[in-house]
Amino acid sequence: MTAPSTTQLQLTQMMGTQQTNLLGTVHGGNVMKFVDEAAGSTAARFSGGPAVTAAMDEMVFLAPVRVGDLLTVKAQVNWAGRTSVEVGVRVETTRWDELTAPVHVATAFLVMVAVDENGAPRTVPELVPETDADRRRYRAAELRREHRLTRRSAIQELGAGEASLERP
């Protein structure tokens, strides 16, 4: 049994010009990649082996990231099932050359599946929420899972589960 607090991970990287978009701010895809790397590392450490991204359930961008920002991602396992986990990630920036308060720029929730050497799902440890905040995050993760499964089922019933460029 593992407490969520023991799964916490923090990574920081300076954003440079090679990561910018046409508007001169850091491309959201670069932020998403960093978030995915943190979530994967967190899930792998928790599960004791490789974990792959099954879904990015939600990612909300709140503020732009600029060249020279130190991008910090803070990740933690919020929920664990039989073979999958939800990892919550908070993204913050600070300037490289100033002592400023961190700016919350994004939040994301990713579903990661633990896999064995053949790529098949494998069992993950039990996650035991200890604090009120842990229990709140655990319940919120359960709600996101329920909504994700309900949405997937409803879309499959419509026969519209795949993106397509074909004309109707």
Side-chain angles (χ1 to χ4, degrees), residues 62-150:
L62 304 170
V65 179
R66 302 172 296 158
V67 170
D69 281 349
L70 294 174
L71 188 70
T72 299
V73 293
K74 299 175 180 180
Q76 174 178 307
V77 174
N78 291 332
W79 174 89
R82 189 178 62 78
T83 62
S84 63
V85 300
E86 182 197 88
V87 179
V89 182
R90 179 182 173 94
V91 183
E92 298 176 337
T93 61
T94 54
R95 292 300 294 166
W96 70 275
D97 59 348
E98 300 172 11
L99 292 175
T100 58
V103 175
H104 182 196
V105 297
T107 298
F109 300 99
L110 293 88
V111 178
M112 311 298 290
V113 176
V115 294
D116 64 17
E117 60 278 352
N118 298 315
R122 62 181 172 77
T123 304
V124 300
E126 182 180 359
L127 185 72
V128 181
E130 293 183 319
T131 67
D132 286 342
D134 290 344
R135 286 184 280 280
R136 180 183 49 79
R137 281 190 295 272
Y138 192 94
R139 180 63 187 133
E142 287 180 321
L143 289 171
R144 281 187 291 274
R145 182 175 188 272
E146 290 169 17
H147 289 154
R148 188 173 54 255
L149 295 175
T150 299

Side-chain angles (χ1 to χ4, degrees), residues 7-9 37-47 75-77 85 87:
T7 70
Q8 294 175 352
L9 174 79
E37 290 170 350
S41 296
T42 301
R45 289 166 37 145
F46 169 72
S47 69
Q76 174 178 307
V77 174
V85 300
V87 179

